[in-house]
């Protein structure tokens, strides 16, 4: 694939030295210095020419350079640490010299509204092919799991960058997290994250990057994953309720899955309503959490919703946090009974 020639620039190691940039642990800073590796990562993001690319956490700009070489229509980088301003500005100038557009935003990716920096002209319908928008990042470990959960919710609601259609993401995760994202039923790594990711996207693990490729070297290896939002999600339910049921199922990983499901209900109704859920979903209550498919969990959520409709007071029950049992009585006077649970 042909790549753009940039004006001569110091390499990332030289930049770190020039600007006295030491990695900050609290921002999960682990830099990639090897340009062959950053090129290889960016290649997995697919065609970038004609695309608006958002890079999360550019740091000194190693991956950023490899993105620029692939000539995106516009590159927007979101970085929390302002110490990287001079090195990122150097890249902005180098890209501008060949008529490229790069915008630097200093903000927190957890709260930043990406949709505000993307043009509505790139909007595609959900069932169309993916829009010419890509999210790329060597993510900071400390935010990668909450961030992907937040983004999966946004995908389910078609908000944020998913307002524009099925925006693809190519991101790094701690190796174990990457393996969880792609874990199929019966895989020992199967967990809540696998089910949530696979309900709304197709996650693809490209390769593992050894920790030695980063400076400083993290204690773990890293996996590069692309998540492609599904045209038709594998669940018809809203994110919040699907997440709640999935979380309960995996709260007792080694037990029969009904153990976690029972905790959706107040103690005195647990056995009865738990069994009822499995009957309604037409599933064996002795199935272990890691054997359940997304579709099995979808059926359990349908069953749970049915019970919520039948016994509306159940929605007030929260396992552990709740100090109350709410009566299943559907009379107008809601009876709340103190409980030791
Ligand atoms: N992209 C660079 C590379 O590959 O060498 C740096 C990657 S480093 C693992 C993660 C980067 O994310 C750091 O530059 C860090 O400052 C930035 N970062 C950490 N938390 C962030 C947040 N909440 N919002 C935006 N950037 C963040």
């Amino acid at each position: 694939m042909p790549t753009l020639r940039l004006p001569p620039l110091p390499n990332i190691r030289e930049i770190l030295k020039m600007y006295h940039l030491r990695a900050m642990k609290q921002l999960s800073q682990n830099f990639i210095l090897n340009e062959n590796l950053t090129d290889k990562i960016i290649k997995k993001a697919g065609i970038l020419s004609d695309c608006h690319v958002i890079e999360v956490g550019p740091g000194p700009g190693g991956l950023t350079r490899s993105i620029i070489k692939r000539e995106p229509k516009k590159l927007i980088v979101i970085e929390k640490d302002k110490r990287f301003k001079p090195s990122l500005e150097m890249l902005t100038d180098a890209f501008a010299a060949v008529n490229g557009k790069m915008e630097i935003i200093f903000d927190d990716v957890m709260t930043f509204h990406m949709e505000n920096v993307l043009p509505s002209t790139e909007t595609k319908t959900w069932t169309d092919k993916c829009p010419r928008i890509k999210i790329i990042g060597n993510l900071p470990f400390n935010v990668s799991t909450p961030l992907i959960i937040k983004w999966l919710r946004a995908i389910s609601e078609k908000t944020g960058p998913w307002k524009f259609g099925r925006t693809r993401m190519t991101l790094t995760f701690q190796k174990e997290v990457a393996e969880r994202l792609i874990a199929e039923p019966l895989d020992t790594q199967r967990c809540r994250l696998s089910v949530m990711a696979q309900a709304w996207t197709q996650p693809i693990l490209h390769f593992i990057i050894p920790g030695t490729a980063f400076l400083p070297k993290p204690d773990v290896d890293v996996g590069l994953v692309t998540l492609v939002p599904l045209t038709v999600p594998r669940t018809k339910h809203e994110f919040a309720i699907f997440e709640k049921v999935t979380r309960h199922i995996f709260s007792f990983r080694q037990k029969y899955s009904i153990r976690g499901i029972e905790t959706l209900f107040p103690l005195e109704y647990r056995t009865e309503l738990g069994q009822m859920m499995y009957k309604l979903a037409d599933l064996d209550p002795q199935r272990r959490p890691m054997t359940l498919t997304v579709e099995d969990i979808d059926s359990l959520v349908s069953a749970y919703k049915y019970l919520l409709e039948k016994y509306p007071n159940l929605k007030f029950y929260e396992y552990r946090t709740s100090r109350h049992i709410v009566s299943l009585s559907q009379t107008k006077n809601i009876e709340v009974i103190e409980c030791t649970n």
Side-chain angles (χ1 to χ4, degrees), residues 27-32 57-59 79-80 107-109 138 140:
L27 287 176
S28 293
Q29 291 178 345
N30 303 96
F31 309 127
I32 307 176
E79 172 57 61
K80 200 168 178 184
D107 213 322
D108 185 338
V109 67
N138 174 17

Side-chain angles (χ1 to χ4, degrees), residues 88-101:
L88 292 173
E89 280 178 349
M90 190 188 293
L91 285 177
T92 312
D93 294 343
F95 196 22
V98 288
N99 295 322
K101 282 191 213 148

Side-chain angles (χ1 to χ4, degrees), residues 27-33 38 55-64 78-81 84 107-110 138-143 214:
L27 287 176
S28 293
Q29 291 178 345
N30 303 96
F31 309 127
I32 307 176
L33 308 187
T38 54
E55 189 196 357
V56 178
L63 271 185
T64 319
I78 305 166
E79 172 57 61
K80 200 168 178 184
D81 187 347
F84 297 120
D107 213 322
D108 185 338
V109 67
M110 290 302 288
N138 174 17
L139 291 185
F141 291 147
N142 60 349
V143 302
F214 298 82

Side-chain angles (χ1 to χ4, degrees), residues 69-86:
K69 286 198 287 179
R70 305 283 298 282
E71 288 184 81
K73 195 168 180 181
K74 183 167 180 190
L75 170 60
I76 302 149
V77 299
I78 305 166
E79 172 57 61
K80 200 168 178 184
D81 187 347
K82 289 201 172 136
R83 294 180 307 149
F84 297 120
K85 193 167 185 270

